[in-house]
Amino acid sequence: MDSDGLPALSLVSLLSLLGCGVQVLAAAFLAHRYGGRSSPVDRWILLWLFYDVIVHLTLEGPFVYMSLVGTVETSEGPLAELWKEYGKADSRWLVSDPTIVSVEILTVVLDSLLALLLIHAVLNDKYYRHFLQVTLSVCELYGGWMTFCPDWLQGSPHLDTSNPLYLWLYLVFFNGLWVLVPVLLLVQSWLVSAASMRSETQAPPTGSSSRDGPAHRKQL
């Protein structure tokens, strides 16, 4: 069998995937540690939120730093090697592309803060929980759109989709997570908000008294 077309996992790829696995385990530990009293759905949401913060701060944060002081392509170190590997799928990440760096600055600063606040809101059942959940989800979706749409409009000159590893694992899977999960969170927020509104409209008026009831009217 001809193996020329088969994707090959390099050592950097394997170590990067191992690092992602460690991040997931760390997020699961934090969700279990702090979300033990939460509902099963909220525990899954907490796992995602912890993972989201970890990725933003430990992977995208260093990317922003490397891009502001130089480029990923000229940087050295384990995280630089990780981003160089991802840069094989999208070369803009190697050269401090202004659109990518701008989106990532917003992601690292704003999205991380929103995710931390949302974790606090979920754990403490705050009234503003779904406002934050919708806001964070929209920010994540907007970040994904602005990451890829400018390149799509140019005919995707910087994306390497010829290699199945780069296309399906690096581009589709890892970026698709930040599309699928925010959409699910938006749906969950909508369902919870709709149920709350229905319960409020079906509840009896709070200012009524027994004197307004049928028995009182009958006596009159």
Side-chain angles (χ1 to χ4, degrees):
M1 179 182 295
D2 184 8
S3 60
D4 291 341
L6 296 178
L9 285 172
S10 65
L11 178 61
V12 175
S13 299
L14 292 173
L15 293 176
S16 299
L17 293 175
L18 179 62
C20 291
V22 171
Q23 290 176 323
V24 172
L25 290 176
F29 170 78
L30 291 171
H32 176 75
R33 171 68 177 80
Y34 294 103
R37 297 182 180 180
S38 302
S39 68
V41 171
D42 280 351
R43 283 198 295 271
W44 281 107
I45 292 174
L46 286 169
L47 189 153
W48 166 255
L49 292 174
F50 279 119
Y51 177 68
D52 191 39
V53 173
I54 290 171
V55 169
H56 290 336
L57 295 182
T58 65
L59 290 183
E60 291 168 293
F63 166 79
V64 169
Y65 174 78
M66 286 184 283
S67 298
L68 291 178
V69 301
T71 66
V72 167
E73 198 168 33
T74 59
S75 299
E76 298 180 354
L79 289 176
E81 293 303 317
L82 182 151
W83 283 112
K84 288 175 185 178
E85 178 66 21
Y86 182 79
K88 295 176 181 178
D90 188 344
S91 61
R92 294 174 298 165
W93 296 76
L94 298 174
V95 294
S96 300
D97 178 85
T99 300
I100 296 294
V101 177
S102 298
V103 170
E104 286 302 305
I105 291 173
L106 193 63
T107 298
V108 171
V109 177
L110 180 60
D111 290 3
S112 297
L113 178 60
L114 287 172
L116 288 171
L117 291 174
L118 180 54
I119 289 170
H120 172 75
V122 172
L123 292 175
N124 295 280
D125 196 24
K126 296 295 185 179
Y127 67 92
Y128 51 80
R129 175 258 178 90
H130 286 285
F131 169 77
L132 288 176
Q133 188 163 305
V134 169
T135 303
L136 174 62
S137 298
V138 171
C139 286
E140 300 279 17
L141 291 171
Y142 177 76
W145 177 258
M146 289 306 299
T147 295
F148 287 101
C149 185
D151 206 61
W152 292 337
L153 293 175
Q154 301 176 62
S156 304
H158 303 98
L159 304 180
D160 183 358
T161 58
S162 63
N163 187 313
L165 175 67
Y166 301 159
L167 173 61
W168 297 109
L169 184 61
Y170 293 179
L171 296 175
V172 174
F173 177 73
F174 282 115
N175 290 286
L177 285 177
W178 271 267
V179 175
L180 176 62
V181 177
V183 167
L184 292 176
L185 291 179
L186 286 173
V187 171
Q188 196 245 1
S189 289
W190 181 81
L191 292 174
V192 171
S193 299
S196 177
M197 293 180 66
R198 282 195 300 267
S199 65
E200 288 182 4
T201 56
Q202 294 171 1
T206 57
S208 62
S209 66
S210 60
R211 291 182 301 174
D212 299 325
H216 180 69
R217 290 195 298 269
K218 185 176 181 180
Q219 291 174 359
L220 294 176

